[in-house]
């Protein structure tokens, strides 16, 4: 039987690191946090890291990777990996990596992501190939836009071209139907060890200034010329109407099943993932994105969510659930099953 003391849990100090490292310690692992110099304070203050490795920037991960390999560290990816290291480089990581690396390509390429979700029979917002086809409210998303900064809305081709003037030259964008409804982000966990899909919780994002515009009258918005932006600043927990849960389980399972057929991602998706979408007044759930890893929307649930509380008689964050998956894999000599 493998021993968890032979391994360390490692991640970058940002995004969901507090939760991941705390969860790993709760399961009995030693932890390493790689921090950008000057940004280590939270990881020291909250006592989640047994060791802190300082780098000038996260992209320097590869300079210290050998040390991680020597300690048999298992790296837990999160949103800052792709944002600061890049999907291609993450693929070339030689340290042990939790999750299927090939999935990253399907998640970070808009066309591939859509194909995957369509195969899973999920409702998606309509996509417009050309601005000239715009016949309803749409949201224009630039690919490089970190955390929803620099998106804009339009109602017609004329409005599109007027607003687009500010972005001339940046033609890496998508035009998506704007769904009027409430945002709901669904957090899942699928373990290969027991072949079971769990619903871990839900959140909505707290975005500046989209979430503050409603605080001032429409006339003031127009007078001051305020434009909607979606810069992520935090997350708000949600409990969903219970009768929506069967649908939530069904679409999550469809996504897992469809992932087994994705080229280059052999074995399919496992571990935490999230479907991000809008529920309209007819209770249709339109999914505009999938994150094939832990999302920051699980951060309110460091001590478990109402849903994990139903299933576990102990606090179970998504970070801890990952550590438990790894622990069970090590102790049943199946570690390869959770690495990719
Ligand atoms: P950060 O390390 O905070 O810069 O985040 C890395 C990536 O994850 C960025 O692309 C962010 O947009 C995304 N991200 C960070 N925090 C959150 C959050 N609370 N909710 C959703 N996305 C987030
Ligand atoms: P994203 O960067 O794709 O996660 O989108 C940022 C924010 O834009 C989301 O949290 C939503 O508030 C909003 N949003 C994105 N796509 C749509 C859509 N198709 N319809 C309505 N709102 C959307």
């Amino acid at each position: 039987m493998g021993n968890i003391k032979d391994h360390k849990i490692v991640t970058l100090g940002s995004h969901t690191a507090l939760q991941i490292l705390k969860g790993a310690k709760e399961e009995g692992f030693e932890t390493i946090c790689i921090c950008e110099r000057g940004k280590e304070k939270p990881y020291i203050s909250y006592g989640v890291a047994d060791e802190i490795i300082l780098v000038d920037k996260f992209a320097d991960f590869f300079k210290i990777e050998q040390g991680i390999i020597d300690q048999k560290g298992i790296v837990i990816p999160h949103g800052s990996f792709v944002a600061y290291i890049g999907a291609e480089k993450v693929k070339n990581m030689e340290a042990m990596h939790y999750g299927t690396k090939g999935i990253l390509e399907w998640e970070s390429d808009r066309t591939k992501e859509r194909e995957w979700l369509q195969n899973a029979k999920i409702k998606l917002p309509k996509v417009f190939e050309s601005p000239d086809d715009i016949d309803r409210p749409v949201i224009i998303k630039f690919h490089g836009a970190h955390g929803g900064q620099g998106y804009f809305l339009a109602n017609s081709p004329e409005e599109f071209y007027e607003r687009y003037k500010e972005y001339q030259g940046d033609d890496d964008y998508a035009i998506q139907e704007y769904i009027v409804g409430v945002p709901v982000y669904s957090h899942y966990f699928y373990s290969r060890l027991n072949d079971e899909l769990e619903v871990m919780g839900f959140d909505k994002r707290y975005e500046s200034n989209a979430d503050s515009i409603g605080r001032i009258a429409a006339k003031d918005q127009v007078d001051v010329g305020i434009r909607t932006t979606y810069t992520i600043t935090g997350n708000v927990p949600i409990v969903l109407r219970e009768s929506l849960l069967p649908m939530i389980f069904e679409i999550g399972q469809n996504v897992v099943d469809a992932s087994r057929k994705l080229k280059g991602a052999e074995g399919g998706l496992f571990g935490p993932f999230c479907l991000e979408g809008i529920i309209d007044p007819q209770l249709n759930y339109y999914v505009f994105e999938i994150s094939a890893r832990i999302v920051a929307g699980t951060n309110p649930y460091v001590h478990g969510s109402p849903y994990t509380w139903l299933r576990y008689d102990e606090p179970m964050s998504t970070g801890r659930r990952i550590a438990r998956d790894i622990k069970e894999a090590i102790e049943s000599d199946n570690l390869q099953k959770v690495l990719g």
Side-chain angles (χ1 to χ4, degrees):
M1 184 171 114
N3 187 343
I4 64 167
K5 294 290 174 209
D6 293 337
H7 294 276
K8 304 236 164 113
I9 297 294
V10 186
T11 199
L12 300 180
S14 194
H15 194 266
T16 37
L18 290 169
Q19 182 200 150
I20 290 171
L21 299 176
K22 181 177 167 62
K25 284 179 80 73
E26 284 166 340
E27 291 298 304
F29 285 97
E30 279 190 33
T31 59
I32 301 176
C33 189
I34 303 165
C35 292
E36 287 188 332
R37 214 174 291 284
K39 297 187 180 163
E40 62 274 24
K41 180 72 191 193
Y43 307 96
I44 298 168
S45 173
Y46 294 116
V48 295
D50 294 304
E51 185 188 341
I52 289 186
I53 300 177
L54 295 178
V55 292
D56 289 327
K57 48 186 190 317
F58 286 137
D60 291 343
F61 171 82
F62 294 98
K63 293 189 185 160
I64 54 107
E65 187 182 21
Q66 191 56 48
I68 305 288
I69 296 171
D70 294 343
Q71 298 198 68
K72 292 199 192 148
I74 301 172
V75 176
I76 315 296
H78 55 55
S80 304
F81 280 74
V82 169
Y84 302 111
I85 297 182
E88 198 49 43
K89 291 215 174 105
V90 171
K91 256 175 79 181
N92 296 330
M93 194 182 281
E94 283 177 27
M96 285 183 252
H97 170 280
Y98 179 78
T100 309
K101 282 185 193 158
I103 288 279
L104 282 177
E105 216 167 288
W106 285 86
E107 174 213 50
S108 54
D109 178 313
R110 234 185 265 123
T111 316
K112 286 185 151 181
E113 179 184 33
R114 214 172 155 78
E115 187 186 324
W116 174 11
L117 293 174
Q118 269 165 345
N119 288 343
K121 309 237 170 327
I122 282 177
K123 285 197 181 84
L124 304 170
K126 184 178 160 66
V127 164
F128 293 83
E129 294 303 330
S130 158
D132 299 321
D133 300 334
I134 297 174
D135 63 356
R136 63 191 82 184
V138 294
I139 179 164
I140 292 88
K141 301 183 177 184
F142 288 88
H143 195 54
H146 278 252
Q149 227 167 348
Y151 290 178
F152 70 88
L153 305 180
N155 238 319
S156 62
E158 295 70 35
E159 264 183 40
F160 172 89
Y161 288 115
E162 182 53 36
R163 292 271 337 245
Y164 182 66
K165 280 183 192 154
E166 292 168 32
Y167 302 86
Q168 278 309 346
D170 188 351
D171 52 11
D172 189 10
Y173 60 79
I175 307 175
Q176 243 179 38
E177 172 184 17
Y178 185 84
I179 308 291
V180 181
V182 290
V184 173
Y185 291 39
S186 305
H187 318 146
Y188 295 93
F189 190 94
Y190 168 69
S191 174
R192 264 187 189 167
L193 302 178
N194 62 7
D195 187 26
E196 198 174 338
L197 179 76
E198 298 166 39
V199 171
M200 304 296 286
F202 304 92
D203 80 293
K204 63 173 186 170
R205 291 184 178 180
Y206 196 45
E207 294 162 331
S208 191
N209 56 17
D211 286 311
S212 65
I213 283 178
R215 302 176 65 199
I216 51 176
K219 183 174 179 313
D220 294 332
Q221 296 170 23
V222 174
D223 287 351
V224 189
I226 292 176
R227 286 176 171 170
T228 318
T229 53
Y230 297 90
T231 307
I232 182 77
T233 60
N235 303 80
V236 183
I238 295 181
V239 170
L240 216 59
R241 184 171 165 176
E242 193 158 312
S243 54
L244 289 169
L245 287 179
M247 178 266 288
I248 296 291
F249 274 96
E250 186 185 336
I251 63 174
Q253 189 64 52
N254 288 349
V255 165
V256 171
D257 293 345
S259 78
R260 298 206 175 99
K261 296 177 198 116
L262 301 179
K263 277 214 183 64
E266 275 60 35
L269 173 69
F270 68 90
F273 67 100
C274 176
L275 295 179
E276 304 165 5
I278 308 276
I279 301 188
D280 76 6
Q282 285 71 45
L283 299 178
N284 295 303
Y285 191 19
Y286 287 94
V287 172
F288 53 76
E289 204 166 311
I290 177 167
S291 294
R293 49 165 173 78
I294 185 169
V295 291
T298 60
N299 282 341
Y301 307 120
V302 172
H303 207 64
S305 78
Y307 299 93
T308 63
W309 199 238
L310 289 164
R311 193 184 157 103
Y312 297 93
D313 283 326
E314 58 193 329
M316 185 57 67
S317 67
T318 294
R320 183 171 184 182
R321 186 66 190 84
I322 293 172
R324 175 137 327 162
D325 208 35
I326 297 172
K327 180 170 153 180
E328 286 175 354
I330 292 172
E331 291 181 347
S332 60
D333 294 320
N334 268 321
L335 183 56
Q336 286 311 320
K337 261 192 158 172
V338 299
L339 301 179

